[in-house]
Each structure stands twice: as C-alpha cells, then as structure tokens.
Amino acid sequence: VSADLAHRIWSYLKVHHFNHHKEVTRSDIDVLKYLPPSIMSRLNAELYLPTFKTHPFFLHYGILNYSGLRHICDAVVAEDSFTKDEEVFEYGKPAERMLVINIG
C-alpha cells in the first residue's frame, strides 16, 4: 500500500470512525437471539411499525395488509447505524436497499 493511500485511510478512520460512536442496534444485543419467534415478532412490531406508519405507502399497505407489514418487520428490516458523513451509497451504482432514517 502506498504511503499516500495509507495516509488517506488513516485520516479517514480518525475523522469518521475513531471519533464517533454508533448507536446500539438490535443485532448488537446478543441475548435477543434466545427469544422465541413470537416475542421477537412483537418486539419488531413495537420497534419498527411506528416508523413505517409515518410513510404514506407503508401506512396504506398496513391498512390493507397488516400481517404483510408485520412480516416486513420480521423478515426484511435490519437496523444499521452510520456516522456523520459515512458513505452509505456509492455514486453511480444502483441502490440495493432502501433506508428509512429514524434518527439524524
């Protein structure tokens, strides 16, 4: 690795990683994997349904197919945490996911 690239990597990490703390996500809490599916489903609903209901599409989808919206909460949603200025999409590449910003 060239000295220039190593410097750029180190500078980026100092600004964007080491100086910022990310929020704790559900996947960071190991003990949750021991919960039965019924309790996890209720937890997912309480965590994610309020955010989905603020989006017009998901609000109407939930009215028409509440169990389908619950399934999205259980099978599709994944939490992530980003630091300020972190690149979450790469310019020019097709997006492979949808992000719903909850805080920030």
Side-chain angles (χ1 to χ4, degrees), residues 82-102:
F82 303 101
T83 58
K84 182 182 178 206
D85 299 324
E86 186 173 350
E87 188 176 290
V88 294
F89 294 106
E90 190 173 337
Y91 181 78
K93 286 196 171 183
E96 297 177 356
R97 60 186 176 160
M98 175 179 142
L99 294 179
V100 177
I101 308 300
N102 199 23

Side-chain angles (χ1 to χ4, degrees), residues 51-91:
T51 300
F52 276 117
K53 289 179 180 179
T54 64
H55 190 288
F57 172 82
F58 291 109
L59 174 64
H60 291 291
Y61 180 70
I63 291 169
L64 297 173
N65 185 0
Y66 183 73
S67 65
L69 188 56
R70 289 282 302 263
H71 179 71
I72 289 173
C73 291
D74 290 335
V76 179
V77 173
E79 292 180 326
D80 210 338
S81 179
F82 303 101
T83 58
K84 182 182 178 206
D85 299 324
E86 186 173 350
E87 188 176 290
V88 294
F89 294 106
E90 190 173 337
Y91 181 78

Side-chain angles (χ1 to χ4, degrees), residues 7 20 25 44:
H7 176 71
H20 300 285
T25 63
N44 291 339

Side-chain angles (χ1 to χ4, degrees), residues 2-50:
S2 69
D4 179 57
L5 179 57
H7 176 71
R8 289 184 66 193
I9 291 169
W10 183 245
S11 296
Y12 178 86
L13 290 174
K14 283 194 307 189
V15 171
H16 297 286
H17 178 70
F18 298 123
N19 291 334
H20 300 285
H21 298 285
K22 292 186 174 190
E23 297 290 323
V24 174
T25 63
R26 189 185 64 184
S27 62
D28 295 326
I29 305 170
D30 289 333
V31 72
L32 293 178
K33 67 183 176 186
Y34 299 109
L35 294 176
S38 60
I39 294 176
M40 278 305 300
S41 181
R42 290 202 49 196
L43 176 62
N44 291 339
E46 287 192 21
L47 288 173
Y48 306 127
L49 284 177

